[in-house]
Amino acid sequence: AQTVTQSQPEMSVQEAETVTLSCTYDTSENNYYLFWYKQPPSRQMILVIRQEAYKQQNATENRFSVNFQKAAKSFSLKISDSQLGDTAMYFCAQTLNMRFGAGTRLTVKP
Amino acid sequence: DVKVTQSSRYLVKRTGEKVFLECVQDMDHENMFWYRQDPGLGLRLIYFSYDVKMKEKGDIPEGYSVSREKKERFSLILESASTNQTSMYLCASSLTKGGGYNEQFFGPGTRLTVL
């Protein structure tokens, strides 16, 4: 089965610091898309950032960026200048097979 | 803004009951999905639909069925609820144009408890 693995169930970071969430995946396809979604406490899941596998350039959205290593099948999320509102569950996803990781619970501490 | 709504935020049912979870999206999306979310397991796909009256099994379809009679509505049915179906159920929708590039838009979820 093609899977998505998030090895960090929980993480914490001080406000204004940088944190990196890890994700690895398994696929035999050459062209696919990877996503990070955020689920704040008691709120709806929303898209954070997406990456197209055929693009070498890492995607960036304001304070959020990814480190995409296609050969290693690694797709980590870096959050810079962490804010209290970043506290949430973060899910890595590969939509080729609608597969999501188990999630990382991130807490930003004041 | 895309809006995906689910009929209930919280639901409590008894073992053996037939349960209907409703999902409606207002952006004319072709694709709709049902996931269940469990701690430590993330989201697991139950069923998805890429068109009216079309459905495809996901990773964990056993004990569930779905119905899509109209483009905007996708229903999840638990024919005979069991305690191991206690979970958070998330509905999502996405466009087909653009393929897998398209993000999924999620509803608020239904927390189902089966006693």
Side-chain angles (χ1 to χ4, degrees):
Chain A
Q2 297 177 337
T3 59
V4 177
T5 302
Q6 293 179 249
S7 58
Q8 305 148 315
E10 292 190 27
M11 295 188 73
S12 64
V13 63
Q14 292 295 132
E15 196 175 7
E17 292 189 349
T18 295
V19 64
T20 299
L21 281 56
S22 301
C23 173
T24 58
Y25 60 92
D26 178 25
T27 182
S28 56
E29 300 295 327
N30 192 48
N31 192 22
Y32 48 89
Y33 303 90
L34 297 163
F35 297 73
W36 279 98
Y37 285 90
K38 168 185 178 180
Q39 186 180 41
S42 301
R43 292 176 60 188
Q44 287 171 242
M45 187 110 62
I46 56 173
L47 178 71
V48 175
I49 198 165
R50 84 185 90 204
Q51 174 78 41
E52 298 167 63
Y54 66 88
K55 286 188 176 179
Q56 293 298 315
Q57 187 174 5
N58 289 325
T60 300
E61 288 285 343
N62 300 314
R63 297 182 295 107
F64 298 86
S65 61
V66 300
N67 182 6
F68 174 50
Q69 303 288 329
K70 190 172 183 179
K73 295 181 181 174
S74 170
F75 181 60
S76 60
L77 174 70
K78 186 172 84 170
I79 306 174
S80 304
D81 186 25
S82 296
Q83 301 176 0
L84 296 178
D86 295 334
T87 292
M89 282 290 291
Y90 287 82
F91 293 95
C92 176
Q94 186 210 89
T95 53
L96 199 61
N97 299 299
M98 278 70 79
R99 292 284 165 79
F100 285 72
T104 296
R105 185 178 300 280
L106 176 68
T107 302
V108 180
K109 298 180 178 179
Chain B
D1 282 350
V2 175
K3 193 169 183 182
V4 180
T5 57
Q6 295 182 229
S7 50
S8 306
R9 291 299 302 270
Y10 300 93
L11 209 52
V12 179
K13 295 292 182 180
R14 298 222 173 259
T15 301
E17 281 192 80
K18 191 168 186 176
V19 182
F20 293 87
L21 303 183
E22 304 284 341
C23 175
V24 177
Q25 50 93 5
D26 66 358
M27 283 300 290
D28 204 34
H29 284 176
E30 294 87 0
N31 305 314
M32 296 189 76
F33 309 84
W34 275 108
Y35 296 91
R36 63 176 283 175
Q37 181 180 359
D38 300 288
L41 297 177
L43 278 70
R44 292 178 293 166
L45 182 66
I46 304 171
Y47 270 97
F48 71 98
S49 168
Y50 54 88
D51 201 353
V52 175
K53 297 190 185 295
M54 305 303 289
K55 62 184 179 184
E56 293 285 341
K57 292 181 179 180
D59 293 322
I60 51 165
E62 297 78 19
Y64 303 95
S65 62
V66 290
S67 172
R68 192 163 180 204
E69 297 296 318
K70 293 184 178 181
K71 190 175 185 179
E72 67 271 19
R73 188 179 298 270
F74 192 36
S75 303
L76 180 69
I77 303 153
L78 287 66
E79 295 289 344
S80 177
S82 63
T83 55
N84 62 13
Q85 292 178 309
T86 291
S87 185
M88 171 71 85
Y89 290 87
L90 296 179
C91 176
S93 71
S94 73
L95 284 170
T96 291
K97 185 178 179 182
Y101 178 82
N102 296 310
E103 68 181 284
Q104 293 184 26
F105 292 85
F106 285 84
T110 295
R111 186 167 295 281
L112 172 67
T113 301
V114 182
L115 302 176

